[in-house]
Amino acid sequence: MTSSVFEDGSEEGKHESSNLITENMNLTATNLSLPTDTFLRAAISLKDQVVEVTWNRREVVDPTVYTGLLGTAFTCLRSYEVTGNQKDLLLCADIVDTCATVARASLRHVTFLCGRGGVYALGAVVANYNGDRLKRDLFLSQFIEVAKERALPVGPEEGGFGMSYDLLYGRAGFLWGALFINKYLGEDTISNDILLPIIDAVLAGGRAGASDIKECPLMYRWHGTRYLGAANGLAGILHVLLHFPLYNEDAEDVKGTLRYLMSKRFPHSGNYPSSEGNPRDKLVQWSHGATGLAITLSKAAQVFPGERDLREAAIEAGEVVWKSGLVKKVGLADGVSGNAYAFLSLFKLTKESIYEERAKAFSCFLYDNATTTLAEEVSGNAYSLFQGLAGTACLWFDLLAPHNSRFPGYEL
């Protein structure tokens, strides 16, 4: 599988899928009935491999969740939440401390996945688990200090296009970090006084960005391109907004934008383009395409339960992921692990066992292949959370309780 990294940092890999049943997998009753403890043992073992490569043998510290050492900390936290192993929690705290030291000098972004926001948000949660109130409050104060970045709450009428709006590098990614903190530490830990001006700026920026599109209430550009997917685009921004109370015009604008996205599906495949006007129907992954849309639309269907078309569109996006089969990478961003989470999201939405079975089918393939042939496809980030095997470990942990599963750094 070939991929290219564009000058603006976005990654689009050619999507090569093959028939899931006949060419890539033997979905026998045996491998679909792997006992739960098999996935648990595999997840723990893979987590240990991730730690060995990224922490014990580390050379350069990338302090981000997305491709760096903080993703290892996130994986250790997920392991602790499942197993209760205190060693995982202590290791997670040590890794966060190292990342925090590096992040102060190296990270200019404020987001959870690719910025200082992730270091301080994860640090506060881990310190709270450890009962270390002083360190928890220190990380919280550092997160709130990041919130004082002047560009965060500045709307377009005040020149607010200087900071992007996307999940990886922009305002939505900071807001997700605040949601993460509030989930674990209490709803008003990061107060509305801080968050509401940023939410308003995101909505105002979207309205300004959509001023030339009659049918679309909200639109954003990242490096000049109107991306539609989860990583740098519209689906990711909407997904974050859906976690906040939306009233009247704001709710209608979010719903209208979701329907605009739905109208952009390719007519033959049902997949979604990576960006506005892009004719390439190649990418079925979380970063670009149906996978991210399936997860976002599942959330939207829960927030707006009366809107049946959102639920139907989520299910249809999941069908695209299934029929497209297996991509040739393993990670969350553009691999099999990320695509499996689309089915877990649909399982939580519909409670239908077929989606749990599909997630398990993809996971069984990873169980047989992830650390051998597929690991070669992710090069230097082979053990990272979003482009490598750490994401697979999180998936396997989530299979133990699919009704509580959550895509790392995206679902809460």
Side-chain angles (χ1 to χ4, degrees):
M1 180 176 183
T2 60
S3 65
S4 61
V5 179
F6 295 97
E7 290 182 359
D8 62 13
S10 65
E11 180 175 322
E12 291 196 25
K14 182 180 178 183
H15 170 68
E16 299 177 13
S17 63
S18 53
N19 185 277
L20 188 62
I21 303 295
T22 61
E23 293 183 28
N24 272 329
M25 295 184 65
N26 177 24
L27 299 186
T28 63
T30 301
N31 62 26
L32 278 180
S33 60
L34 282 173
T36 299
D37 61 351
T38 299
F39 281 116
L40 176 59
R41 289 195 302 271
I44 294 171
S45 176
L46 188 53
K47 177 265 301 178
D48 289 341
Q49 291 179 48
V50 169
V51 169
E52 175 62 27
V53 172
T54 62
W55 176 243
N56 295 338
R57 288 191 257 149
R58 67 192 183 281
E59 296 178 1
V60 178
V61 175
D62 167 1
T64 69
V65 172
Y66 194 75
T67 55
L69 191 56
L70 202 62
T72 300
F74 189 100
T75 306
C76 290
L77 178 62
R78 184 62 58 87
S79 179
Y80 166 74
E81 290 175 327
V82 172
T83 67
N85 188 333
Q86 286 291 132
K87 290 182 179 179
D88 284 329
L89 188 61
L90 294 173
L91 178 58
C92 181
D94 287 344
I95 295 173
V96 168
D97 287 344
T98 296
C99 290
T101 299
V102 176
R104 281 192 287 270
S106 67
L107 291 182
R108 65 183 180 89
H109 298 297
V110 300
T111 62
F112 183 86
L113 292 179
C114 295
R116 288 169 287 139
V119 179
Y120 304 143
L122 190 58
V125 168
V126 174
N128 191 62
Y129 267 128
N130 276 321
D132 189 338
R133 293 185 178 182
L134 286 175
K135 186 171 283 189
R136 178 200 65 190
D137 291 345
L138 173 62
F139 279 124
L140 284 176
S141 68
Q142 289 174 317
F143 186 88
I144 292 170
E145 190 65 29
V146 172
K148 294 178 182 177
E149 289 262 350
R150 287 183 297 171
L152 272 168
V154 175
E157 69 282 357
E158 302 168 87
F161 289 113
M163 177 178 283
S164 67
Y165 294 86
D166 65 306
L167 186 74
L168 288 193
Y169 303 112
R171 303 174 209 220
F174 174 81
L175 289 171
W176 198 92
L179 288 166
F180 181 79
I181 289 173
N182 286 351
K183 173 189 174 179
Y184 281 94
L185 303 186
E187 273 190 26
D188 202 40
T189 304
I190 307 300
S191 70
N192 284 338
D193 289 343
I194 293 173
L195 299 181
L196 289 178
I198 303 172
I199 296 166
D200 288 343
V202 172
L203 290 164
R207 289 172 182 134
S211 60
D212 61 335
I213 310 175
K214 183 178 179 181
E215 305 87 359
C216 185
L218 304 171
M219 181 56 72
Y220 305 86
R221 292 181 186 270
W222 189 72
H223 287 273
T225 299
R226 288 169 166 167
Y227 287 101
L228 303 182
N232 298 115
L234 198 52
I237 297 167
L238 294 176
H239 187 83
V240 172
L241 289 175
L242 286 164
H243 287 80
F244 292 97
L246 296 170
Y247 302 104
N248 304 326
E249 182 185 2
D250 296 341
E252 291 305 313
D253 280 355
V254 167
K255 285 189 284 187
T257 305
L258 287 165
R259 292 190 170 106
Y260 178 80
L261 268 175
M262 290 154 53
S263 75
K264 294 299 176 179
R265 286 174 286 190
F266 291 112
H268 297 297
S269 69
N271 191 29
Y272 289 78
S274 61
S275 58
E276 184 84 351
N278 192 327
R280 294 177 66 233
D281 185 5
K282 293 289 185 182
L283 304 174
V284 180
Q285 53 190 229
W286 173 80
S287 296
H288 306 284
T291 304
L293 267 297
I295 298 171
T296 293
L297 287 165
S298 292
K299 177 64 179 177
Q302 293 170 328
V303 173
F304 305 118
E307 310 290 340
R308 295 291 300 180
D309 58 333
L310 300 179
R311 179 187 175 94
E312 291 165 3
I315 291 170
E316 289 169 7
E319 289 301 309
V320 173
V321 178
W322 178 249
K323 290 175 181 177
S324 293
L326 295 163
V327 294
K328 291 189 176 181
K329 293 187 178 183
V330 302
L332 297 175
D334 53 6
V336 180
S337 299
N339 285 4
Y341 270 103
F343 306 131
L344 291 176
S345 294
L346 287 166
F347 173 71
K348 290 181 291 183
L349 174 66
T350 68
K351 310 299 188 292
E352 294 180 10
S353 61
I354 185 173
Y355 298 113
E356 181 182 2
E357 292 166 3
R358 288 178 174 182
K360 195 170 183 180
F362 275 31
S363 299
C364 286
F365 177 80
L366 289 167
Y367 179 80
D368 290 334
N369 297 279
T371 58
T372 54
T373 58
L374 294 189
E376 299 171 3
E377 298 290 337
V378 289
S379 63
N381 294 319
Y383 288 85
S384 70
L385 184 61
F386 268 72
Q387 294 187 356
L389 294 169
T392 302
C394 287
L395 170 66
W396 290 344
F397 280 125
D398 271 331
L399 280 180
L400 304 178
H403 57 286
N404 287 328
S405 64
R406 53 202 187 276
F407 191 111
Y410 201 56
E411 294 181 296
L412 287 156

